[in-house]
Amino acid sequence: MKKAVELVLLLLLLFFTPHIMGKRYSPPGKPTLTRCRSPEKETFTCWWEPGSDGGLPTTHALYYRKESSERVYECPDYHTAGENSCFFNKNDTSIWVNYNITVVATNTLGSAFSDPVDVDVVYIVKPNPPEKQTVTIMEDKGWPFLRVSWEPPQKADTRSGWITLIYELRVKLEEENEWEMHLAGHQKTFNIFSLRSGGKYLVEVRCKPDHGFWSEWSSTSYIKVPDYFHREKSVWILLTIFSAFIFLILTWLLHMNSRSLKNCILPPVPGPKIKGFDNQLLKNGKSDEIFSALMVSNFPPTTSSNYEDLLVEYLEVYVPVEQELMQEESKDLHGGCLKCERSTSDSDSGRGSCDSHTLLMDKCGETKEEGRHTDRASSRMLTEAQRHQKGWEKDTLTYAHGDMVSPDMSNGRVKTWPSVFSPLPQYSSNPLDKQSSLEMAKQHCLSTSSCLTQPGHSTKEALGPSNWDFCLGNKQPHLLHPQTQVGRQLQAHSEVNISNIGRKQAPAGLQSPALRSTEYVEVQRVNEEDLVLLQPVVSGCGRIEGYPQMPKGKDYSKVKGVDSDNMLLLQREVMEEDWWTGNCYTSSTVNTTQKPTACIHTAMPVQGDMALAMNGYVDTATMCTLPTC
Amino acid sequence: MPGNIRSVSFVVLVCLLFCSRLTSVGATPICTNAHAGCHVLSLSNLFDRVIQHSARMHGISNDLHSEFEQYFLPSRNQIGRVSRNCHTSTILTPNGKENAQKMAREELTEVILKLLVAWRDPLWHFHHSMAHYDDFNNFSSNKALEMSDMVHELRKGVEKVAEKMQVLGITSNTVNSLTSPEALLPSESAEWRLMKDYDLLYCFRRDSNKVQNYLKILKCRIVPEHGC
């Protein structure tokens, strides 16, 4: 009893010990056929994956059955292809025959069958990769390309036509990640173009039968492309130089024409500008400074000048009463002239505006013989006119004189007094003589008449030629030809300028009538004898229209003396004779004046109660009443 | 007037007839006798044409087979299929490279022709039976028709190749037995009717591959210049 119990216990122990120990034996797990491959369609290999072995050593066996027979064969070679594989050699392989393959795992406890797999060798061909791969660099018209060539795998029999393979290659640069694929078809060479200069390329090839699997990639071939870019580089260098050259030329051209271009693209905007007006001062906001800046320092002129010297510069023109009246009327003309001058002489405002009045000024400039002088004179006139625009009403002649003459004397420019000044003869508040003022006024008339653009004015017309003709004289006979009023007046004006020059140079004081052949009118001072003589300098011909230079009613005669017979001896005849030699008076006028002289020459006794002029002048008209006359 | 119209219409008719005759000629006929005036194709060229044709045929059969597998046989249990034999299994075909290379050219050509002949009728019927399958689209039906036409054309081509080889003296005159291959298969004609469509496709896929391969072997054995 005890023994039986012990035996049972032992048996139980033995039985259960493996369980207590933790080890379990079981039949093997189900293996699985993973794949079958044929490298050349003549042999093939199948691999399987064993299942769990169940703790016991298991063996695997592969059995296969061919298509049309029920006979089961076992795998002939378990070792050639490695672990868990079965290799079917040529004798055992039949193409176009369906193999039914099963793997069995067996251990002591049991066996396990895998799922059967149908295999037709034709459709499991996976060749070896291509062999003898070569990559060479070749050149096509200077541009390199790669030529890749290879051989089919040795085992695959393509020569007999048993297998036909198609190839594929891939290329990439060493530093890149992506391959460039190329299908080569049945051919065994391939060209690769568009290479990067100096790049290192990797090339691989693989193959595939008509119906099968792609082979593995062949071993990589390395190739380095030579540097062919240097030729391209030289082209680039040339291009760069050329473009830089063109750029420099363009820059230079732009620089040369920058100003004109600037004017073309961005025309200057005319802005109001007042001479002497400082914008900055305005911004600062000090009105005193602003307006003080506007004031010209030397205006009004305060420098005292020798008025007598100044007088030398002026033309003395004797204007008859009638002419004086007309002067009044011609005030508006002066205004017109002012306007004219003002419009043309506005040099401070924006340029570019063309004024028709400039035409007038151009004519003034053209007709001047001593062009530059007269230009300066006119410009001088203009500037002065402009400057004194505002203050011309207030200014006196004194100021005008001073302003005009003093700066000009220095450099010898032609002096003309500006016609801005009012030629009103009423400016008698100055210390100058009345006559001087008259002369001034006359001169004003003269000068202004040159600028007048209203040729239709009859009075002016009358004024102009009468005043000018005698002075123009033979110097410029062409002036006497019929011309436009404006032109004649301009010419006259120019002559006035010229005469002024002459006047300046000449000593102040007496001047002989025949001093020059020019058309100067000699200005004679009022000497102690209170004789004012108007001497027509011009010796040539001339005509007097309208008014004679010597007014009718003003035949002055100088009393030479009274002789014993109480006869007045007039000097006049002598002078007249001198005069008549050179003057341009018409005979009519001469006759009128000559007659009394003739009377005088006869030395007619002068009656004591003969009316004597205030200053010793005898009114010749009264003398004519003598019977002998 | 009516006389003129009649004559004109007659001329037009004649012209039309002639034109139709001319157009129906089609491609230049291949002259096996190499007489003057015929455009003679080389054997190599013939082989290439035939091989291309067979490759195309195999491709179509492969496509059809895979489509069939997709639609009609979800289970991959192929044990049953193996039991059924193809009706062409009686034709002794070489199952290996050595066997194929050992075979004479004439025999190989004969095998090819036998195979092609054997498949003419079954494919024709297969094409007709495609109409029963609603799942199949028209594209597959057209493929079946194309396949049957191809078999016919391929057979003609291979016959021409055989003729050419005979003329060139490459093969002996024992190929004369191929003139009526239909005589070989009257007893087996009923077998293919028992086969299911799927099995038919399976068998034809394999047989077209065989044809292609045999033709290649022949070509590389006889005219190995290009592509061998």
Side-chain angles (χ1 to χ4, degrees), chain A residues 144 154 571:
Chain A
Q154 239 178 354
Q571 257 182 353

Side-chain angles (χ1 to χ4, degrees), chain A residues 41-42 67-68 90 94-98 100 116 118 120 122-123 157-162 164 210-211, chain B residues 58 62 78-79 82 85 94-98 100-101 202 205-206 209-210 212-214 216-217 220 228:
Chain A
K41 214 158 83 172
E42 291 164 42
E67 183 179 319
S68 49
K90 281 185 187 179
S94 305
I95 317 298
W96 297 298
V97 172
N98 214 344
N100 194 304
D118 278 326
D120 195 337
V122 172
Y123 300 112
D157 187 4
T158 52
R159 298 206 62 166
S160 64
W162 181 240
T164 46
D210 290 338
H211 308 279
Chain B
H58 176 70
N62 207 8
Q78 298 186 25
I79 297 168
V82 182
N85 292 335
N95 288 336
K97 189 178 96 174
E98 289 78 13
Q101 281 176 334
Y202 179 82
R205 187 172 81 143
R206 184 199 292 173
N209 200 321
K210 276 185 185 176
Q212 189 184 0
N213 216 336
Y214 296 152
K216 279 181 188 172
I217 291 166
C220 286
C228 283

Side-chain angles (χ1 to χ4, degrees), chain A residues 311 314-319 324 425 427-428 430-443 523-527 530-533 554 556 615:
Chain A
L311 285 173
Y314 300 115
L315 282 170
E316 289 189 359
V317 177
Y318 181 70
V319 180
E324 278 182 14
Y427 288 157
S428 54
N430 51 22
L432 285 173
D433 288 340
K434 192 179 179 183
Q435 282 174 335
S436 313
S437 65
L438 272 171
E439 288 156 9
M440 285 291 297
K442 305 301 176 288
Q443 186 52 38
V523 177
Q524 200 154 35
R525 248 193 255 171
V526 180
N527 54 11
D530 295 328
L531 189 72
V532 176
L533 298 168
K554 293 190 178 172
Y556 295 104
N615 299 328

